[in-house]
Amino acid sequence: MTLPESATLPESATSPDAAPVPLPSTALIFMGVSGCGKSTIAGLVAQHLGWPMIEGDDLHPPANIAKMTRGIPLNDDDRKPWLEAIAARIDVWRQEGSQGVVTCSSLRHAYRDLLRAGHDDIRFVFLKGSYELLLSRMQHRQRHFMPPSLLQSQFATLEEPGPDEAITVSIDQPVDGIVADTLAQLNLR
């Protein structure tokens, strides 16, 4: 994962008086449709917490990557082994008593349930933005297998989480503001 040069932690997150409060969570999962900034924001929050980060896209089977590269949306059967691989990584952290940050679109309630695996030690951070904002971002990004043509299918699949399932952070602001809002909602300023 490469963070943009302009992406920095907000001053409130890096000041010596802003020591992170331990979360009762094994994992923070940054979720949302493609182009919402999961990798960038999760990377900065992981850096702030000193936790390792797993880029969920790296765990897609090659067949999924090939399918998306051709502009074909994934279905539930395609996503299941990918979600199971992410859940297995989280389970390792759970068994070790460690914590980490994950990026995963987690578009449906059932996907989030699979990732939780019956545990209550996972916090979801939903990075929310409009279709127009996300399409613009996707049209300008480079070196990603997900074409902008699949964005509509992601919105069609998305079941937005409620406040009992995730914190929601607007991405219609600079990166520093998104990180600050995330940390504030997680009570980690």
Side-chain angles (χ1 to χ4, degrees), residues 1-12:
M1 176 202 65
T2 305
L3 300 176
E5 288 182 26
S6 62
T8 59
L9 288 170
E11 191 172 317
S12 63

Side-chain angles (χ1 to χ4, degrees), residues 65-117:
I65 304 260
K67 194 171 183 179
M68 289 183 282
T69 300
R70 291 191 315 268
I72 301 169
L74 299 180
N75 60 39
D76 289 350
D77 291 336
D78 297 323
R79 289 185 178 104
K80 188 174 181 192
W82 171 62
L83 294 165
E84 289 172 340
I86 293 170
R89 295 285 184 98
I90 293 169
D91 198 46
V92 169
W93 287 335
R94 189 177 287 119
Q95 291 171 14
E96 294 172 347
S98 59
Q99 298 165 309
V101 173
V102 180
T103 62
C104 175
S105 56
S106 308
L107 298 175
R108 293 186 184 209
H109 297 290
Y111 304 164
R112 296 187 287 274
D113 287 345
L114 194 153
L115 291 168
R116 278 189 207 93

